Amino acid sequence: MTASASGLHYAPRDDAWVFHGGSFVRAGDAGFNLHERGVTFGDGVYEVVRYDAGRAFAVDRHVARMRRSLAAVALEGIDPAELERHSDELMRRNGWRDAKAYWQVTRGPQPRDFVIDARTRPTVTLWLSPREPVVPGTPVAEGAAVLAEDVRWLRCDVKSLLLMPASLARTRASRAGAVEAILVRDKADGSSHVTEGTSTNVIAVIRGRLVTHPADRYVLAGVTRSMLLDHARAVGWGVDERPMTAQELCAADEVLVCSTTQVTAITSVGSEPIGPGAAGPVTRALHAAYLKMVVGGRG
Ligand code: PLP
């Protein structure tokens, strides 16, 4: 018997009947661990790392962010440097050179209880998704965005598995023909600001300067965001890490969204065209710089 923290006494049993996927099965035959807190509570954190020509891009920044995410949710006993080694080994075993790697750490299995049992040990799952090699000189992708209310929790700096609000917003965007939903948060002080995309950071070009939300608890400190801002500063462009309103965003000269897998020019937000309605010069330059970085293995 396992004593749960709430006083209920029960132990998950693999031979117990459960109902899953339309039939009655033994818990142990369900195909996944029913008691995994990653499944029952979305209790876990993750990273997405890109490999180009066999090399992990900006992997130190991903390892550092994974370390911060793990610490923020008190997920202990995992060394992110070990995830990097396992990820490299997966690339080798699959024989792939260009891929996206998912590194996922969930709290682990325990009898379902809101209180985390101190004895629960994390589950580490890594998998790869192969893709075509990057071709330098590829034009920047373009697409429309919609605005959506940011209803996520207030620890968006943690790359957590609590992805349902983002996924629902992105699904609505996709059904409206848009590539991203740009989230707007009504903050406790009465202000309302653009935070980020559902799985991207948002950078606007306003009067010749790059504007993006500060890397605080309202946004994920994107690795791509940091690489692009470092590049912009290195070439002498002005960068303002400050909140902006949806009105400012819609009136911007250029808007881009970025993540490990993309730098995309946003050509309209809702019914408002951005600039001339096509990728602008700053976005094209940042995209070209990003392709060079990933191919060159910089970071
Ligand atoms: N913001 C959110 C909410 C994300 O989920 C992601 C990536 O998945 C990003 C920003 C971009 O982060 P990165 O550039 O590290 O991929």
Side-chain angles (χ1 to χ4, degrees):
M1 290 287 246
T2 303
S4 83
S6 65
L8 285 174
H9 292 267
Y10 69 96
R13 291 175 50 145
D14 276 353
D15 62 349
W17 288 103
V18 299
F19 187 80
H20 173 65
S23 42
F24 293 92
V25 292
R26 301 279 187 189
D29 297 331
F32 71 102
N33 193 327
L34 293 163
H35 310 287
E36 166 58 59
R37 285 183 54 96
V39 175
T40 51
F41 289 91
D43 184 349
V45 297
Y46 73 109
E47 276 298 320
V48 180
V49 181
R50 64 180 297 152
Y51 282 80
D52 293 88
R55 207 164 18 191
F57 178 65
V59 71
D60 292 350
R61 296 187 193 210
H62 287 286
V63 165
R65 188 170 64 189
M66 176 57 103
R67 191 164 280 126
R68 289 198 301 275
S69 294
L70 290 167
V73 299
L75 246 167
E76 284 154 11
I78 299 293
D79 175 9
E82 199 174 324
L83 303 182
E84 181 188 348
R85 285 193 291 277
H86 293 329
S87 183
D88 288 348
E89 174 64 12
L90 272 189
M91 286 293 288
R92 198 191 62 73
R93 287 188 187 215
N94 282 295
W96 293 331
R97 308 264 303 147
D98 298 275
K100 255 187 322 190
Y102 287 84
W103 303 356
Q104 183 171 286
V105 182
T106 51
R107 185 79 53 184
Q110 69 165 74
R112 189 180 184 284
D113 193 318
F114 276 75
V115 179
I116 298 164
D117 189 320
R119 293 165 297 186
T120 302
R121 292 288 159 259
T123 306
V124 174
T125 313
L126 275 64
W127 70 94
L128 303 177
S129 167
R131 54 167 181 75
E132 293 302 312
V134 163
V135 178
T138 305
V140 63
E142 298 178 345
V146 295
L147 292 176
E149 186 184 359
D150 192 345
V151 295
R152 302 171 302 163
W153 73 336
L154 288 174
R155 287 306 307 272
C156 295
D157 53 319
V158 178
K159 198 163 168 64
S160 86
L161 289 184
L162 303 172
L163 293 171
M164 188 165 61
S167 172
L168 291 175
R170 173 78 142 274
T171 302
R172 284 193 294 271
S174 173
R175 301 214 165 125
V179 294
E180 181 59 299
I182 294 180
L183 304 175
V184 181
R185 170 84 75 177
D186 292 331
K187 295 178 179 164
D189 63 3
S191 63
S192 176
H193 292 127
V194 170
T195 50
E196 59 183 339
T198 58
S199 66
T200 57
N201 289 113
V202 176
I203 301 177
V205 181
I206 300 176
R207 286 185 290 281
R209 297 179 69 81
L210 271 57
V211 181
T212 190
H213 199 284
D216 56 17
R217 67 192 174 133
Y218 290 107
V219 300
L220 186 74
V223 169
T224 319
R225 172 192 182 279
S226 70
M227 302 297 289
L228 296 185
L229 296 188
D230 285 355
H231 172 79
R233 290 184 174 110
V235 298
W237 293 341
V239 173
D240 297 325
E241 294 186 59
R242 64 160 177 89
M244 69 185 130
T245 63
Q247 289 74 18
E248 276 184 281
L249 180 83
C250 291
D253 299 317
E254 300 182 35
V255 173
L256 68 87
V257 295
C258 61
S259 72
T260 290
T261 51
Q262 60 169 320
V263 173
T264 300
I266 296 302
T267 52
S268 62
V269 177
S271 56
E272 300 289 332
I274 299 297
V282 176
T283 303
R284 280 190 270 116
L286 285 174
H287 174 251
Y290 186 59
L291 292 193
K292 271 199 196 135
M293 287 182 225
V294 298
V295 170
R298 251 179 60 197

PDB file of all heavy atoms in Angstrom, residues 112-137:
ATOM      1  N   ARG A 112      -2.446   9.092  -8.154  1.00  0.00           N
ATOM      2  CA  ARG A 112      -2.891  10.447  -8.466  1.00  0.00           C
ATOM      3  C   ARG A 112      -3.217  11.226  -7.202  1.00  0.00           C
ATOM      4  O   ARG A 112      -4.074  10.822  -6.413  1.00  0.00           O
ATOM      5  CB  ARG A 112      -4.110  10.409  -9.375  1.00  0.00           C
ATOM      6  CG  ARG A 112      -4.475  11.798  -9.912  1.00  0.00           C
ATOM      7  CD  ARG A 112      -5.693  11.765 -10.819  1.00  0.00           C
ATOM      8  NE  ARG A 112      -5.947  13.087 -11.385  1.00  0.00           N
ATOM      9  CZ  ARG A 112      -6.504  14.098 -10.706  1.00  0.00           C
ATOM     10  NH1 ARG A 112      -6.853  13.913  -9.450  1.00  0.00           N
ATOM     11  NH2 ARG A 112      -6.694  15.267 -11.294  1.00  0.00           N
ATOM     12  N   ASP A 113      -2.520  12.318  -7.004  1.00  0.00           N
ATOM     13  CA  ASP A 113      -2.701  13.146  -5.825  1.00  0.00           C
ATOM     14  C   ASP A 113      -2.144  14.522  -6.162  1.00  0.00           C
ATOM     15  O   ASP A 113      -1.090  14.617  -6.792  1.00  0.00           O
ATOM     16  CB  ASP A 113      -1.915  12.542  -4.640  1.00  0.00           C
ATOM     17  CG  ASP A 113      -2.310  13.170  -3.310  1.00  0.00           C
ATOM     18  OD1 ASP A 113      -2.484  14.409  -3.262  1.00  0.00           O
ATOM     19  OD2 ASP A 113      -2.440  12.420  -2.327  1.00  0.00           O
ATOM     20  N   PHE A 114      -2.843  15.574  -5.752  1.00  0.00           N
ATOM     21  CA  PHE A 114      -2.316  16.917  -6.032  1.00  0.00           C
ATOM     22  C   PHE A 114      -0.978  17.139  -5.341  1.00  0.00           C
ATOM     23  O   PHE A 114      -0.159  17.918  -5.802  1.00  0.00           O
ATOM     24  CB  PHE A 114      -3.328  17.996  -5.616  1.00  0.00           C
ATOM     25  CG  PHE A 114      -4.352  18.234  -6.684  1.00  0.00           C
ATOM     26  CD1 PHE A 114      -5.376  17.327  -6.897  1.00  0.00           C
ATOM     27  CD2 PHE A 114      -4.268  19.336  -7.509  1.00  0.00           C
ATOM     28  CE1 PHE A 114      -6.312  17.521  -7.906  1.00  0.00           C
ATOM     29  CE2 PHE A 114      -5.198  19.545  -8.522  1.00  0.00           C
ATOM     30  CZ  PHE A 114      -6.225  18.626  -8.717  1.00  0.00           C
ATOM     31  N   VAL A 115      -0.785  16.459  -4.218  1.00  0.00           N
ATOM     32  CA  VAL A 115       0.488  16.607  -3.501  1.00  0.00           C
ATOM     33  C   VAL A 115       1.524  15.679  -4.131  1.00  0.00           C
ATOM     34  O   VAL A 115       1.282  14.480  -4.297  1.00  0.00           O
ATOM     35  CB  VAL A 115       0.309  16.286  -2.010  1.00  0.00           C
ATOM     36  CG1 VAL A 115       1.649  16.409  -1.282  1.00  0.00           C
ATOM     37  CG2 VAL A 115      -0.717  17.217  -1.395  1.00  0.00           C
ATOM     38  N   ILE A 116       2.656  16.252  -4.476  1.00  0.00           N
ATOM     39  CA  ILE A 116       3.711  15.457  -5.099  1.00  0.00           C
ATOM     40  C   ILE A 116       4.410  14.631  -4.024  1.00  0.00           C
ATOM     41  O   ILE A 116       4.851  15.166  -2.997  1.00  0.00           O
ATOM     42  CB  ILE A 116       4.734  16.379  -5.805  1.00  0.00           C
ATOM     43  CG1 ILE A 116       4.038  17.168  -6.926  1.00  0.00           C
ATOM     44  CG2 ILE A 116       5.924  15.591  -6.335  1.00  0.00           C
ATOM     45  CD1 ILE A 116       4.817  18.370  -7.422  1.00  0.00           C
ATOM     46  N   ASP A 117       4.485  13.338  -4.267  1.00  0.00           N
ATOM     47  CA  ASP A 117       5.158  12.439  -3.328  1.00  0.00           C
ATOM     48  C   ASP A 117       6.667  12.643  -3.482  1.00  0.00           C
ATOM     49  O   ASP A 117       7.187  12.593  -4.603  1.00  0.00           O
ATOM     50  CB  ASP A 117       4.761  10.997  -3.676  1.00  0.00           C
ATOM     51  CG  ASP A 117       5.234  10.006  -2.612  1.00  0.00           C
ATOM     52  OD1 ASP A 117       6.361  10.176  -2.100  1.00  0.00           O
ATOM     53  OD2 ASP A 117       4.468   9.070  -2.309  1.00  0.00           O
ATOM     54  N   ALA A 118       7.347  12.877  -2.374  1.00  0.00           N
ATOM     55  CA  ALA A 118       8.792  13.154  -2.427  1.00  0.00           C
ATOM     56  C   ALA A 118       9.567  11.988  -3.031  1.00  0.00           C
ATOM     57  O   ALA A 118      10.694  12.158  -3.487  1.00  0.00           O
ATOM     58  CB  ALA A 118       9.307  13.469  -1.027  1.00  0.00           C
ATOM     59  N   ARG A 119       8.937  10.798  -3.045  1.00  0.00           N
ATOM     60  CA  ARG A 119       9.664   9.630  -3.577  1.00  0.00           C
ATOM     61  C   ARG A 119       9.508   9.484  -5.089  1.00  0.00           C
ATOM     62  O   ARG A 119      10.142   8.625  -5.695  1.00  0.00           O
ATOM     63  CB  ARG A 119       9.146   8.348  -2.906  1.00  0.00           C
ATOM     64  CG  ARG A 119       9.482   8.270  -1.429  1.00  0.00           C
ATOM     65  CD  ARG A 119       8.660   7.222  -0.741  1.00  0.00           C
ATOM     66  NE  ARG A 119       7.234   7.555  -0.812  1.00  0.00           N
ATOM     67  CZ  ARG A 119       6.274   6.883  -0.211  1.00  0.00           C
ATOM     68  NH1 ARG A 119       6.559   5.809   0.487  1.00  0.00           N
ATOM     69  NH2 ARG A 119       5.011   7.253  -0.304  1.00  0.00           N
ATOM     70  N   THR A 120       8.667  10.293  -5.698  1.00  0.00           N
ATOM     71  CA  THR A 120       8.416  10.157  -7.135  1.00  0.00           C
ATOM     72  C   THR A 120       9.671  10.532  -7.919  1.00  0.00           C
ATOM     73  O   THR A 120      10.306  11.553  -7.647  1.00  0.00           O
ATOM     74  CB  THR A 120       7.231  11.064  -7.550  1.00  0.00           C
ATOM     75  OG1 THR A 120       6.114  10.675  -6.767  1.00  0.00           O
ATOM     76  CG2 THR A 120       6.901  10.915  -9.022  1.00  0.00           C
ATOM     77  N   ARG A 121      10.024   9.683  -8.878  1.00  0.00           N
ATOM     78  CA  ARG A 121      11.246   9.911  -9.660  1.00  0.00           C
ATOM     79  C   ARG A 121      10.879  10.330 -11.074  1.00  0.00           C
ATOM     80  O   ARG A 121       9.983   9.726 -11.686  1.00  0.00           O
ATOM     81  CB  ARG A 121      12.105   8.639  -9.709  1.00  0.00           C
ATOM     82  CG  ARG A 121      12.705   8.266  -8.369  1.00  0.00           C
ATOM     83  CD  ARG A 121      13.849   9.236  -7.957  1.00  0.00           C
ATOM     84  NE  ARG A 121      14.073   9.194  -6.517  1.00  0.00           N
ATOM     85  CZ  ARG A 121      13.626  10.096  -5.637  1.00  0.00           C
ATOM     86  NH1 ARG A 121      12.950  11.146  -6.037  1.00  0.00           N
ATOM     87  NH2 ARG A 121      13.878   9.985  -4.347  1.00  0.00           N
ATOM     88  N   PRO A 122      11.558  11.342 -11.628  1.00  0.00           N
ATOM     89  CA  PRO A 122      11.188  11.862 -12.945  1.00  0.00           C
ATOM     90  C   PRO A 122      11.341  10.847 -14.073  1.00  0.00           C
ATOM     91  O   PRO A 122      12.155   9.923 -13.989  1.00  0.00           O
ATOM     92  CB  PRO A 122      12.155  13.025 -13.165  1.00  0.00           C
ATOM     93  CG  PRO A 122      12.983  13.156 -11.959  1.00  0.00           C
ATOM     94  CD  PRO A 122      12.697  12.046 -11.025  1.00  0.00           C
ATOM     95  N   THR A 123      10.529  11.044 -15.099  1.00  0.00           N
ATOM     96  CA  THR A 123      10.631  10.247 -16.320  1.00  0.00           C
ATOM     97  C   THR A 123      11.262  11.123 -17.400  1.00  0.00           C
ATOM     98  O   THR A 123      10.787  12.231 -17.654  1.00  0.00           O
ATOM     99  CB  THR A 123       9.227   9.824 -16.809  1.00  0.00           C
ATOM    100  OG1 THR A 123       8.542   9.173 -15.740  1.00  0.00           O
ATOM    101  CG2 THR A 123       9.312   8.889 -18.009  1.00  0.00           C
ATOM    102  N   VAL A 124      12.313  10.626 -18.012  1.00  0.00           N
ATOM    103  CA  VAL A 124      12.992  11.373 -19.084  1.00  0.00           C
ATOM    104  C   VAL A 124      12.645  10.713 -20.413  1.00  0.00           C
ATOM    105  O   VAL A 124      12.792   9.506 -20.563  1.00  0.00           O
ATOM    106  CB  VAL A 124      14.519  11.364 -18.869  1.00  0.00           C
ATOM    107  CG1 VAL A 124      15.234  12.021 -20.051  1.00  0.00           C
ATOM    108  CG2 VAL A 124      14.875  12.077 -17.571  1.00  0.00           C
ATOM    109  N   THR A 125      12.150  11.496 -21.355  1.00  0.00           N
ATOM    110  CA  THR A 125      11.827  10.965 -22.684  1.00  0.00           C
ATOM    111  C   THR A 125      12.431  11.891 -23.732  1.00  0.00           C
ATOM    112  O   THR A 125      12.222  13.109 -23.681  1.00  0.00           O
ATOM    113  CB  THR A 125      10.302  10.887 -22.897  1.00  0.00           C
ATOM    114  OG1 THR A 125       9.710  10.293 -21.734  1.00  0.00           O
ATOM    115  CG2 THR A 125       9.955  10.059 -24.114  1.00  0.00           C
ATOM    116  N   LEU A 126      13.186  11.323 -24.632  1.00  0.00           N
ATOM    117  CA  LEU A 126      13.781  12.103 -25.716  1.00  0.00           C
ATOM    118  C   LEU A 126      13.361  11.474 -27.031  1.00  0.00           C
ATOM    119  O   LEU A 126      13.332  10.252 -27.138  1.00  0.00           O
ATOM    120  CB  LEU A 126      15.318  12.069 -25.639  1.00  0.00           C
ATOM    121  CG  LEU A 126      16.037  13.073 -24.738  1.00  0.00           C
ATOM    122  CD1 LEU A 126      15.696  12.884 -23.290  1.00  0.00           C
ATOM    123  CD2 LEU A 126      17.536  12.968 -24.935  1.00  0.00           C
ATOM    124  N   TRP A 127      13.015  12.293 -28.009  1.00  0.00           N
ATOM    125  CA  TRP A 127      12.769  11.744 -29.335  1.00  0.00           C
ATOM    126  C   TRP A 127      13.144  12.768 -30.389  1.00  0.00           C
ATOM    127  O   TRP A 127      13.283  13.959 -30.091  1.00  0.00           O
ATOM    128  CB  TRP A 127      11.344  11.261 -29.499  1.00  0.00           C
ATOM    129  CG  TRP A 127      10.263  12.301 -29.552  1.00  0.00           C
ATOM    130  CD1 TRP A 127       9.729  12.865 -30.674  1.00  0.00           C
ATOM    131  CD2 TRP A 127       9.558  12.879 -28.450  1.00  0.00           C
ATOM    132  NE1 TRP A 127       8.742  13.757 -30.340  1.00  0.00           N
ATOM    133  CE2 TRP A 127       8.608  13.783 -28.993  1.00  0.00           C
ATOM    134  CE3 TRP A 127       9.637  12.726 -27.062  1.00  0.00           C
ATOM    135  CZ2 TRP A 127       7.760  14.535 -28.187  1.00  0.00           C
ATOM    136  CZ3 TRP A 127       8.776  13.481 -26.271  1.00  0.00           C
ATOM    137  CH2 TRP A 127       7.858  14.360 -26.834  1.00  0.00           C
ATOM    138  N   LEU A 128      13.308  12.268 -31.601  1.00  0.00           N
ATOM    139  CA  LEU A 128      13.759  13.121 -32.707  1.00  0.00           C
ATOM    140  C   LEU A 128      12.709  13.170 -33.792  1.00  0.00           C
ATOM    141  O   LEU A 128      11.955  12.222 -33.986  1.00  0.00           O
ATOM    142  CB  LEU A 128      15.033  12.560 -33.339  1.00  0.00           C
ATOM    143  CG  LEU A 128      16.234  12.340 -32.439  1.00  0.00           C
ATOM    144  CD1 LEU A 128      17.364  11.717 -33.252  1.00  0.00           C
ATOM    145  CD2 LEU A 128      16.699  13.642 -31.814  1.00  0.00           C
ATOM    146  N   SER A 129      12.733  14.256 -34.515  1.00  0.00           N
ATOM    147  CA  SER A 129      11.873  14.395 -35.684  1.00  0.00           C
ATOM    148  C   SER A 129      12.776  14.878 -36.825  1.00  0.00           C
ATOM    149  O   SER A 129      13.258  16.013 -36.791  1.00  0.00           O
ATOM    150  CB  SER A 129      10.808  15.401 -35.256  1.00  0.00           C
ATOM    151  OG  SER A 129      10.087  15.861 -36.271  1.00  0.00           O
ATOM    152  N   PRO A 130      13.068  13.996 -37.797  1.00  0.00           N
ATOM    153  CA  PRO A 130      14.022  14.378 -38.842  1.00  0.00           C
ATOM    154  C   PRO A 130      13.426  15.406 -39.797  1.00  0.00           C
ATOM    155  O   PRO A 130      12.206  15.472 -39.942  1.00  0.00           O
ATOM    156  CB  PRO A 130      14.283  13.056 -39.572  1.00  0.00           C
ATOM    157  CG  PRO A 130      13.073  12.237 -39.328  1.00  0.00           C
ATOM    158  CD  PRO A 130      12.512  12.650 -38.000  1.00  0.00           C
ATOM    159  N   ARG A 131      14.255  16.214 -40.417  1.00  0.00           N
ATOM    160  CA  ARG A 131      13.771  17.205 -41.392  1.00  0.00           C
ATOM    161  C   ARG A 131      14.841  17.418 -42.455  1.00  0.00           C
ATOM    162  O   ARG A 131      15.961  16.907 -42.347  1.00  0.00           O
ATOM    163  CB  ARG A 131      13.407  18.516 -40.703  1.00  0.00           C
ATOM    164  CG  ARG A 131      14.521  19.071 -39.856  1.00  0.00           C
ATOM    165  CD  ARG A 131      14.295  20.509 -39.424  1.00  0.00           C
ATOM    166  NE  ARG A 131      15.423  20.967 -38.628  1.00  0.00           N
ATOM    167  CZ  ARG A 131      16.618  21.282 -39.128  1.00  0.00           C
ATOM    168  NH1 ARG A 131      16.850  21.225 -40.429  1.00  0.00           N
ATOM    169  NH2 ARG A 131      17.586  21.646 -38.328  1.00  0.00           N
ATOM    170  N   GLU A 132      14.458  18.180 -43.480  1.00  0.00           N
ATOM    171  CA  GLU A 132      15.395  18.464 -44.580  1.00  0.00           C
ATOM    172  C   GLU A 132      16.480  19.424 -44.100  1.00  0.00           C
ATOM    173  O   GLU A 132      16.224  20.277 -43.240  1.00  0.00           O
ATOM    174  CB  GLU A 132      14.636  19.115 -45.751  1.00  0.00           C
ATOM    175  CG  GLU A 132      13.642  18.199 -46.442  1.00  0.00           C
ATOM    176  CD  GLU A 132      14.320  16.941 -46.973  1.00  0.00           C
ATOM    177  OE1 GLU A 132      15.366  17.073 -47.630  1.00  0.00           O
ATOM    178  OE2 GLU A 132      13.809  15.838 -46.711  1.00  0.00           O
ATOM    179  N   PRO A 133      17.689  19.314 -44.682  1.00  0.00           N
ATOM    180  CA  PRO A 133      18.744  20.270 -44.313  1.00  0.00           C
ATOM    181  C   PRO A 133      18.362  21.696 -44.722  1.00  0.00           C
ATOM    182  O   PRO A 133      17.618  21.887 -45.680  1.00  0.00           O
ATOM    183  CB  PRO A 133      19.963  19.821 -45.125  1.00  0.00           C
ATOM    184  CG  PRO A 133      19.624  18.491 -45.688  1.00  0.00           C
ATOM    185  CD  PRO A 133      18.152  18.316 -45.657  1.00  0.00           C
ATOM    186  N   VAL A 134      18.880  22.658 -43.978  1.00  0.00           N
ATOM    187  CA  VAL A 134      18.654  24.077 -44.292  1.00  0.00           C
ATOM    188  C   VAL A 134      19.445  24.443 -45.544  1.00  0.00           C
ATOM    189  O   VAL A 134      20.611  24.064 -45.684  1.00  0.00           O
ATOM    190  CB  VAL A 134      19.114  24.943 -43.099  1.00  0.00           C
ATOM    191  CG1 VAL A 134      19.286  26.397 -43.504  1.00  0.00           C
ATOM    192  CG2 VAL A 134      18.126  24.818 -41.954  1.00  0.00           C
ATOM    193  N   VAL A 135      18.796  25.191 -46.436  1.00  0.00           N
ATOM    194  CA  VAL A 135      19.501  25.691 -47.625  1.00  0.00           C
ATOM    195  C   VAL A 135      19.691  27.195 -47.444  1.00  0.00           C
ATOM    196  O   VAL A 135      18.705  27.941 -47.421  1.00  0.00           O
ATOM    197  CB  VAL A 135      18.678  25.408 -48.906  1.00  0.00           C
ATOM    198  CG1 VAL A 135      19.397  25.964 -50.136  1.00  0.00           C
ATOM    199  CG2 VAL A 135      18.388  23.926 -49.031  1.00  0.00           C
ATOM    200  N   PRO A 136      20.954  27.651 -47.278  1.00  0.00           N
ATOM    201  CA  PRO A 136      21.170  29.088 -47.111  1.00  0.00           C
ATOM    202  C   PRO A 136      20.606  29.825 -48.329  1.00  0.00           C
ATOM    203  O   PRO A 136      20.649  29.312 -49.444  1.00  0.00           O
ATOM    204  CB  PRO A 136      22.693  29.222 -47.048  1.00  0.00           C
ATOM    205  CG  PRO A 136      23.184  27.867 -46.672  1.00  0.00           C
ATOM    206  CD  PRO A 136      22.202  26.886 -47.241  1.00  0.00           C
ATOM    207  N   GLY A 137      20.047  30.999 -48.096  1.00  0.00           N
ATOM    208  CA  GLY A 137      19.457  31.750 -49.200  1.00  0.00           C
ATOM    209  C   GLY A 137      17.968  31.477 -49.382  1.00  0.00           C
ATOM    210  O   GLY A 137      17.311  32.134 -50.186  1.00  0.00           O
TER     211      GLY A 137
END
